[in-house]
Amino acid sequence: MMNKSGIEAWITRHWYSPHKTWFAYGLMPVAAVFMQIAYLRRWLYKKGWLTSYRASCPVIVVGNISVGGVGKTPLVVALYFFLKERGWTPGIVTRGYRGRYKGVAWVAADSDPNEVGDEAVLLAARTGAAVVVSRDRSSAVRVLTHETACDIVLSDDGLQHYGMGRDIEIAVIDAARKLGNRLCLPAGPLREPVSRLKKVDIVAVNGGDESQCAFALSGMSLINVLNPTITQGVQALFGKKIQALAGIGSPKRFFDYLRGLGAEVVEHAFPDHYAFQASDFACFSASDVLVMTEKDAVKCRVFAKENMWFFPVEAHLNALFINKFNGCLKHLLP
């Protein structure tokens, strides 16, 4: 019997197969119902039958129409600093996925990721911004704008959370996986039909080319999980055998990137947002070099050992993206 990770990998293979599989064809009637519900829900908000909360300042949503990770969080970090350099005071809201908190919670760099979610802690640590989590993002926006001096809000995910009014929508796509078989759940990976992309302000392609509004993820150093003051350059990975761990939406992207740096990679893929425990590392020896993503590292701080390292990445925006985003910002100015 397959475990949860194996089931997720099996479904993902069907979703992202170059051809529609029997799995997809069998679930297409259910997917058609899901798509109509998505259309109806958006239409009800558009017509005002369901109401959205409009904040006192602009809200930018960075989301996607597919399930799983596509690089939204590094893009939010990049946009935070982009806005800050141009005189804005951004705040950040996110769902706090798999956190145990209830209601609305503030997040700091040293918050417990099991309480508020791993991505929320990463955002607070990387930006120093005011970060608020809530399953109801409109509540998070309300608290953030009422209790801080922020003059613009970045929402990490929430494209489908129409109860939160927004001024700019950015939909992120992974250049490698694209939109899979382009079918809605459960036959494919889409939360909304492909036509939804025509309604957003920017379609941002993670790993795209210069003909697209794109960004690229890259990292220049390894940071020790136990003692973050200890760093080493990525050249240290060249020719070295490493145990690579990733509990993210697309672990293959992380593993391939490490291989591109010359490392001999032994892969250890976990489900997205996996809650790492000390027991997960019992199979490794002190001589093993363990490398993980930054999102995973925040969950391993309390039991970290000297041989555990994380690899932070930054999103680099291309010229087309910057020009498009600047154009969107101009419309927000009085």
Short mmCIF file of all heavy atoms in Angstrom, two decimals, residues 218-242:
data_model
loop_
_atom_site.label_atom_id
_atom_site.label_comp_id
_atom_site.label_asym_id
_atom_site.label_seq_id
_atom_site.Cartn_x
_atom_site.Cartn_y
_atom_site.Cartn_z
N SER A 218 17.49 31.74 -7.78
CA SER A 218 18.89 31.34 -7.67
C SER A 218 19.37 31.61 -6.25
O SER A 218 18.82 32.44 -5.53
CB SER A 218 19.78 32.09 -8.67
OG SER A 218 19.81 33.47 -8.38
N GLY A 219 20.41 30.88 -5.86
CA GLY A 219 21.01 31.07 -4.54
C GLY A 219 22.52 31.06 -4.64
O GLY A 219 23.09 30.45 -5.55
N MET A 220 23.18 31.76 -3.73
CA MET A 220 24.62 31.89 -3.80
C MET A 220 25.35 31.29 -2.60
O MET A 220 26.57 31.22 -2.59
CB MET A 220 25.00 33.38 -3.90
CG MET A 220 24.50 34.06 -5.17
SD MET A 220 25.06 33.26 -6.68
CE MET A 220 26.82 33.60 -6.57
N SER A 221 24.60 30.86 -1.58
CA SER A 221 25.27 30.37 -0.39
C SER A 221 24.44 29.32 0.33
O SER A 221 23.23 29.22 0.14
CB SER A 221 25.58 31.53 0.57
OG SER A 221 24.37 32.12 1.02
N LEU A 222 25.14 28.54 1.16
CA LEU A 222 24.50 27.60 2.07
C LEU A 222 24.59 28.17 3.47
O LEU A 222 25.61 28.76 3.84
CB LEU A 222 25.21 26.24 2.02
CG LEU A 222 25.08 25.42 0.74
CD1 LEU A 222 26.08 24.28 0.76
CD2 LEU A 222 23.67 24.89 0.60
N ILE A 223 23.53 28.00 4.25
CA ILE A 223 23.50 28.52 5.62
C ILE A 223 23.25 27.35 6.56
O ILE A 223 22.39 26.51 6.31
CB ILE A 223 22.42 29.59 5.78
CG1 ILE A 223 22.69 30.77 4.82
CG2 ILE A 223 22.35 30.08 7.23
CD1 ILE A 223 21.63 31.84 4.84
N ASN A 224 24.01 27.30 7.64
CA ASN A 224 23.87 26.23 8.60
C ASN A 224 22.57 26.40 9.39
O ASN A 224 22.27 27.49 9.90
CB ASN A 224 25.07 26.22 9.55
CG ASN A 224 25.12 24.97 10.40
OD1 ASN A 224 24.67 24.96 11.53
ND2 ASN A 224 25.69 23.90 9.84
N VAL A 225 21.80 25.32 9.50
CA VAL A 225 20.51 25.39 10.19
C VAL A 225 20.71 25.60 11.69
O VAL A 225 20.00 26.38 12.32
CB VAL A 225 19.68 24.12 9.93
CG1 VAL A 225 18.32 24.20 10.63
CG2 VAL A 225 19.49 23.90 8.43
N LEU A 226 21.70 24.92 12.27
CA LEU A 226 21.95 25.03 13.70
C LEU A 226 22.51 26.39 14.06
O LEU A 226 22.10 27.00 15.05
CB LEU A 226 22.94 23.93 14.13
CG LEU A 226 23.34 23.94 15.61
CD1 LEU A 226 22.13 23.67 16.50
CD2 LEU A 226 24.43 22.89 15.87
N ASN A 227 23.44 26.90 13.25
CA ASN A 227 24.08 28.19 13.51
C ASN A 227 24.07 29.01 12.23
O ASN A 227 24.98 28.92 11.42
CB ASN A 227 25.51 27.98 14.01
CG ASN A 227 26.17 29.29 14.41
OD1 ASN A 227 25.62 30.37 14.20
ND2 ASN A 227 27.36 29.19 14.99
N PRO A 228 23.05 29.85 12.03
CA PRO A 228 22.91 30.59 10.77
C PRO A 228 24.03 31.59 10.49
O PRO A 228 24.09 32.13 9.38
CB PRO A 228 21.56 31.31 10.94
CG PRO A 228 20.81 30.50 11.95
CD PRO A 228 21.87 30.01 12.90
N THR A 229 24.89 31.84 11.46
CA THR A 229 26.02 32.74 11.20
C THR A 229 27.10 32.04 10.38
O THR A 229 28.01 32.70 9.86
CB THR A 229 26.63 33.26 12.51
OG1 THR A 229 27.16 32.16 13.26
CG2 THR A 229 25.59 33.99 13.35
N ILE A 230 27.01 30.71 10.28
CA ILE A 230 27.98 29.94 9.50
C ILE A 230 27.44 29.75 8.08
O ILE A 230 26.36 29.21 7.88
CB ILE A 230 28.25 28.57 10.14
CG1 ILE A 230 28.78 28.73 11.57
CG2 ILE A 230 29.24 27.76 9.30
CD1 ILE A 230 28.95 27.41 12.31
N THR A 231 28.19 30.22 7.10
CA THR A 231 27.78 30.09 5.70
C THR A 231 28.95 29.57 4.87
O THR A 231 30.11 29.63 5.28
CB THR A 231 27.33 31.44 5.12
OG1 THR A 231 28.44 32.35 5.11
CG2 THR A 231 26.20 32.04 5.94
N GLN A 232 28.63 29.06 3.71
CA GLN A 232 29.65 28.69 2.75
C GLN A 232 29.09 28.85 1.34
O GLN A 232 27.87 28.77 1.13
CB GLN A 232 30.15 27.25 2.97
CG GLN A 232 29.08 26.18 2.97
CD GLN A 232 29.67 24.80 3.20
OE1 GLN A 232 30.79 24.51 2.83
NE2 GLN A 232 28.90 23.92 3.84
N GLY A 233 29.95 29.13 0.39
CA GLY A 233 29.52 29.35 -0.98
C GLY A 233 29.02 28.07 -1.63
O GLY A 233 29.38 26.96 -1.21
N VAL A 234 28.22 28.24 -2.67
CA VAL A 234 27.65 27.07 -3.34
C VAL A 234 28.72 26.23 -4.03
O VAL A 234 28.49 25.05 -4.32
CB VAL A 234 26.59 27.48 -4.38
CG1 VAL A 234 25.38 28.09 -3.70
CG2 VAL A 234 27.17 28.45 -5.41
N GLN A 235 29.90 26.82 -4.26
CA GLN A 235 30.98 26.04 -4.88
C GLN A 235 31.41 24.87 -3.99
O GLN A 235 32.02 23.90 -4.48
CB GLN A 235 32.19 26.93 -5.19
CG GLN A 235 32.87 27.55 -4.00
CD GLN A 235 32.26 28.89 -3.59
OE1 GLN A 235 31.15 29.22 -4.03
NE2 GLN A 235 32.99 29.65 -2.80
N ALA A 236 31.05 24.94 -2.71
CA ALA A 236 31.39 23.85 -1.79
C ALA A 236 30.64 22.57 -2.14
O ALA A 236 31.03 21.49 -1.70
CB ALA A 236 31.07 24.27 -0.36
N LEU A 237 29.56 22.70 -2.93
CA LEU A 237 28.78 21.52 -3.30
C LEU A 237 29.39 20.76 -4.48
O LEU A 237 29.05 19.60 -4.70
CB LEU A 237 27.36 21.94 -3.68
CG LEU A 237 26.48 22.52 -2.55
CD1 LEU A 237 25.14 22.96 -3.12
CD2 LEU A 237 26.27 21.49 -1.46
N PHE A 238 30.29 21.40 -5.21
CA PHE A 238 30.80 20.79 -6.42
C PHE A 238 31.53 19.48 -6.12
O PHE A 238 32.46 19.43 -5.31
CB PHE A 238 31.75 21.75 -7.15
CG PHE A 238 32.16 21.26 -8.51
CD1 PHE A 238 31.34 21.46 -9.60
CD2 PHE A 238 33.35 20.57 -8.70
CE1 PHE A 238 31.69 21.00 -10.86
CE2 PHE A 238 33.72 20.10 -9.94
CZ PHE A 238 32.89 20.32 -11.03
N GLY A 239 31.08 18.40 -6.75
CA GLY A 239 31.70 17.09 -6.59
C GLY A 239 31.40 16.41 -5.26
O GLY A 239 31.93 15.33 -5.00
N LYS A 240 30.54 17.02 -4.45
CA LYS A 240 30.25 16.45 -3.12
C LYS A 240 28.94 15.68 -3.14
O LYS A 240 27.95 16.12 -3.74
CB LYS A 240 30.20 17.57 -2.08
CG LYS A 240 29.96 17.08 -0.66
CD LYS A 240 30.07 18.21 0.34
CE LYS A 240 31.50 18.70 0.48
NZ LYS A 240 31.65 19.70 1.56
N LYS A 241 28.92 14.53 -2.45
CA LYS A 241 27.70 13.78 -2.29
C LYS A 241 26.88 14.38 -1.16
O LYS A 241 27.38 14.55 -0.04
CB LYS A 241 28.01 12.31 -1.99
CG LYS A 241 26.76 11.43 -1.84
CD LYS A 241 27.13 9.97 -1.59
CE LYS A 241 25.90 9.10 -1.45
NZ LYS A 241 26.25 7.68 -1.23
N ILE A 242 25.63 14.73 -1.44
CA ILE A 242 24.77 15.34 -0.42
C ILE A 242 23.44 14.60 -0.34
O ILE A 242 22.98 14.00 -1.31
CB ILE A 242 24.52 16.83 -0.71
CG1 ILE A 242 23.76 17.00 -2.04
CG2 ILE A 242 25.81 17.63 -0.72
CD1 ILE A 242 23.28 18.41 -2.29
#
